[in-house]
Amino acid sequence: DHFVPISQAYLEVGVDALEVNLSCPNLVGKPQIAFDFEKSRHILQDVKNIAGKTPVGVKLPPYPDPIFNIQMAHIVKELEIDFVTVINSVPHCVMVDSDKEEFVIKNKFGGLGGKYVKPVALGQVRRFYELLEGKVPIIGCGGIETGKDIVEHFLAGASAVQVGTQLMKEGPKVFERLEKEFREELAKKNCTAKDLIGRAK
């Protein structure tokens, strides 16, 4: 039941870090791997064994019950996973065109991202920040449109962010804008990015 998605050959070309995405429903009729904690442990252990000194992180879904966060946090601690990325998109979402009376998405169901998922993302960032006692870096993902959004993720417990929806809208230039806005927010607060991590009261 062990699954090894990479080989040492990939690492030899120079990889800064590996993010293992356990939160995509890739197999019809099978649950997301991140909800099968024994299988998640096996996969992450296999990747860690192959990666050697290369940092290994895990990207996770929005867990609907805190018990899932607790179970995954235990695995992260046990295997000394280097970082956690939350969240992947919220699944089972539907958009309907009322004029055409049609589903907007070809396959009816799709994943929700962008500004609509930010509160969910912030909740998962905070859960893992507390469960991992601030000792494992968290990459916040969900609703990053402005520098202020980055500040919110940091205040919740993230120490970096990942941008998806806004990258699709603006292209690579989005990163320069977000960095500028984030620096402006830090200047207003007269602090460093590190100072913000997890300090929401």
Side-chain angles (χ1 to χ4, degrees):
D1 256 352
H2 289 237
F3 170 65
V4 182
I6 58 171
S7 70
Q8 193 63 40
Y10 285 98
L11 300 176
E12 289 171 2
V13 299
V15 175
D16 293 321
L18 293 169
E19 181 185 81
V20 183
N21 189 345
L22 299 182
S23 51
C24 279
N26 293 319
L27 299 175
V28 176
K30 299 287 185 180
Q32 291 182 29
I33 293 172
F35 285 92
D36 184 330
F37 296 97
E38 193 55 39
K39 188 167 284 188
S40 292
R41 178 184 284 105
H42 286 321
I43 291 171
L44 290 171
Q45 183 65 74
D46 285 348
V47 175
K48 284 278 287 185
N49 290 343
I50 293 170
K53 294 182 180 179
T54 302
V56 173
V58 59
K59 187 167 189 178
L60 300 170
Y63 284 124
D65 190 303
I67 189 62
F68 297 133
N69 300 81
I70 292 169
Q71 288 176 278
M72 184 54 73
H74 178 74
I75 293 170
V76 169
K77 290 179 183 177
E78 175 192 337
L79 300 181
E80 298 182 351
I81 298 301
D82 297 290
F83 63 91
V84 171
T85 302
V86 283
I87 58 174
N88 210 325
S89 59
V90 177
H92 310 301
C93 296
V94 167
M95 291 182 67
V96 176
D97 185 321
S98 60
D99 294 323
K100 295 181 180 179
E101 298 184 8
E102 293 177 352
F103 293 107
V104 175
I105 302 171
K106 182 180 178 182
N107 295 324
K108 288 188 286 190
F109 298 99
L112 182 67
K115 65 183 177 182
Y116 302 106
V117 304
K118 189 171 73 168
V120 179
L122 293 174
Q124 296 293 304
V125 167
R126 189 63 188 192
R127 283 279 183 201
F128 280 108
Y129 179 77
E130 292 178 355
L131 289 168
L132 299 171
E133 303 167 5
K135 295 175 182 177
V136 178
I138 297 170
I139 300 175
C141 182
I144 308 293
E145 294 185 346
T146 68
K148 192 164 279 191
D149 294 321
I150 300 175
V151 169
E152 291 178 21
H153 272 268
F154 271 60
L155 288 170
S159 52
V161 294
Q162 198 174 87
V163 181
T165 301
Q166 206 60 30
L167 172 62
M168 292 174 65
K169 290 179 179 178
E170 295 183 42
K173 65 182 181 181
V174 68
F175 298 113
E176 185 178 348
R177 176 180 67 77
L178 287 174
E179 182 181 0
K180 179 176 179 292
E181 291 178 4
F182 184 48
R183 289 185 184 279
E184 288 170 353
E185 293 295 327
L186 292 175
K188 286 180 194 175
K189 292 179 174 292
N190 192 29
C191 69
T192 67
K194 191 174 181 180
D195 293 334
L196 289 179
I197 299 172
R199 84 175 188 187
K201 300 182 181 68

